[in-house]
């Protein structure tokens, strides 16, 4: 089972569900009757479609409106270390290195991340711990708060993940993304970044309850403070901003 869960319907389908169209066709060419397999796959496809529709209805019914404009004042740095915002995002001070800790969170840039993929539990209200998601974000001024660009880039990444044709500058990243067990921090190649200083990373929500309405925003945009500059394939240091600061 990967970080992002698995398809219960297909898992229950066994070997019949796992057969590809090419494999079925090849068996038919050899004279085997594969009608039962095709029937089983059609049944599974119908179940998947119904389950997906029900899930999307639940998402729609539990969506919580957000207003990222409420965060505009928190973009300015250095921010007050005595404010409730600072305390809520930075958390408890460490025993050692308090001055560096204060400076880090006082000057950390606020950025927006767009969901590329996420554990399905994050799209519905819940109280789970350590659920993962993959985000894309930008650090340059032009794109850091450009929600249209973030959303479009997240979609491009998802499409490229499923495509057999991957540009050379994205192959290493896409190979890693296709592994549901992977955890990564990766700069985007030009084919995906459109000139932005962009990164794609895995992030685990320690507490799902930190999100607005205890779930991901329906538009998939989540604000963070960047604690340290990202480095390729080193753990990303992000602090998620509590939902109460941008829930509409």
């Amino acid at each position: 089972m990967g970080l992002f869960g698995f398809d219960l319907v297909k898992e229950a389908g066994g070997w019949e569900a796992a057969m590809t169209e090419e494999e079925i066709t090849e068996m038919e060419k050899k004279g085997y009757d594969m009608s039962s397999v095709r029937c089983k796959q059609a049944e599974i496809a119908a179940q998947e479609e119904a389950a997906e529709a029900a899930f999307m209805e639940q998402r729609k019914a539990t969506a919580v409106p957000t207003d990222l404009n409420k965060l505009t004042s928190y973009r300015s740095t250095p921010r007050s270390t005595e404010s409730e915002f600072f305390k809520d995002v930075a958390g408890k001070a460490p025993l050692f290195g308090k001055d560096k800790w204060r400076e880090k969170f006082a000057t950390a840039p606020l950025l927006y991340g767009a969901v590329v993929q996420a554990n399905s539990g994050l799209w519905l209200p819940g109280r789970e711990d350590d659920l993962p998601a993959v985000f894309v974000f930008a650090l340059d001024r032009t794109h850091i708060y450009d929600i249209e660009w973030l959303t479009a880039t997240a979609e491009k990444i998802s499409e490229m993940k499923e495509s057999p044709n991957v540009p050379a500058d994205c192959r290493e990243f896409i190979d890693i993304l296709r592994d549901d067990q992977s955890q990564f921090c990766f700069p985007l190649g030009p084919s995906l970044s459109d000139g932005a200083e962009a990164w794609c990373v895995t992030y685990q929500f320690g507490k799902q309850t930190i999100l607005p309405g205890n779930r991901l925003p329906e538009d998939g945009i989540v604000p963070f403070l960047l604690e340290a500059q990202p480095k390729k394939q080193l753990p990303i240091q992000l602090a998620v901003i509590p939902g109460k600061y941008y829930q509409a």
Side-chain angles (χ1 to χ4, degrees):
M1 179 176 175
L3 287 174
F4 300 95
F6 58 89
D7 191 321
L8 290 172
V9 176
K10 281 192 174 181
E11 288 289 325
W15 66 270
E16 293 167 310
M19 289 193 74
T20 65
E21 176 62 29
E22 290 76 12
E23 290 171 335
I24 295 172
T25 301
E26 186 62 28
M27 294 295 284
E28 288 174 333
K29 288 179 179 178
K30 293 179 180 179
Y32 291 96
D33 180 5
M34 303 300 288
S35 57
S36 63
V37 175
R38 290 192 178 279
C39 182
K40 182 67 174 180
Q41 290 200 347
E43 179 185 333
I44 290 171
Q47 291 175 353
E48 286 180 331
E49 186 176 345
E52 178 67 16
F55 177 72
M56 294 307 293
E57 280 296 316
Q58 281 186 288
R59 274 184 58 171
K60 183 178 179 180
T62 60
V64 175
T66 57
D67 181 4
L68 293 170
N69 290 322
K70 295 173 72 174
L71 294 173
T72 301
S73 62
Y74 299 114
R75 296 180 188 177
S76 299
T77 58
R79 56 183 63 88
S80 171
T81 59
E82 299 301 319
S83 68
E84 287 301 310
F85 177 84
F86 180 93
K87 295 173 183 177
D88 285 341
V89 179
K92 188 177 180 180
L95 291 176
F96 304 101
K98 290 183 180 179
D99 289 341
K100 287 186 177 181
W101 169 80
R102 290 191 188 94
E103 181 181 3
K104 177 175 70 173
F105 282 100
T107 59
L110 189 154
L111 57 80
Y112 297 160
V115 175
V116 175
Q117 62 188 42
N119 184 288
S120 58
L122 286 169
W123 289 111
L124 298 174
R127 307 183 70 84
E128 298 296 323
D129 298 338
D130 300 322
L131 294 182
V134 173
F135 287 94
V136 61
F137 62 84
L139 299 181
D140 60 286
R141 288 186 178 183
T142 302
H143 300 92
I144 190 170
Y145 303 121
D146 187 339
I147 294 174
E148 184 177 348
W149 176 87
L150 286 163
T151 301
T153 303
E155 291 175 356
K156 284 170 62 178
I157 293 170
S158 295
E159 291 169 0
M160 191 175 288
K161 178 185 176 183
E162 303 302 323
S163 174
N165 302 312
V166 178
D169 64 305
C170 298
R171 286 174 190 161
E172 184 183 4
F173 163 59
I174 293 298
D175 284 345
I176 292 171
L177 180 64
R178 285 171 174 167
D179 178 4
D180 281 346
Q181 294 283 0
S182 64
Q183 299 186 54
F184 56 84
C185 176
F186 218 92
L188 294 190
S191 298
L192 285 169
S193 68
D194 290 330
E197 185 185 351
W199 292 77
C200 192
V201 304
T202 48
Y203 178 83
Q204 283 192 306
F205 290 92
K207 298 288 184 182
Q208 186 175 355
T209 51
I210 201 168
L211 293 165
N214 299 345
R215 53 154 290 176
L216 286 170
E218 191 62 19
D219 63 2
I221 303 297
V222 177
F224 298 90
L225 292 188
L226 180 66
E227 300 178 44
Q229 288 295 306
K231 294 183 179 180
K232 183 178 176 180
Q233 291 304 71
L234 291 180
I236 188 66
Q237 296 184 53
L238 291 171
V240 66
I241 294 174
K244 68 180 183 179
Y245 287 100
Y246 61 102
Q247 186 168 330

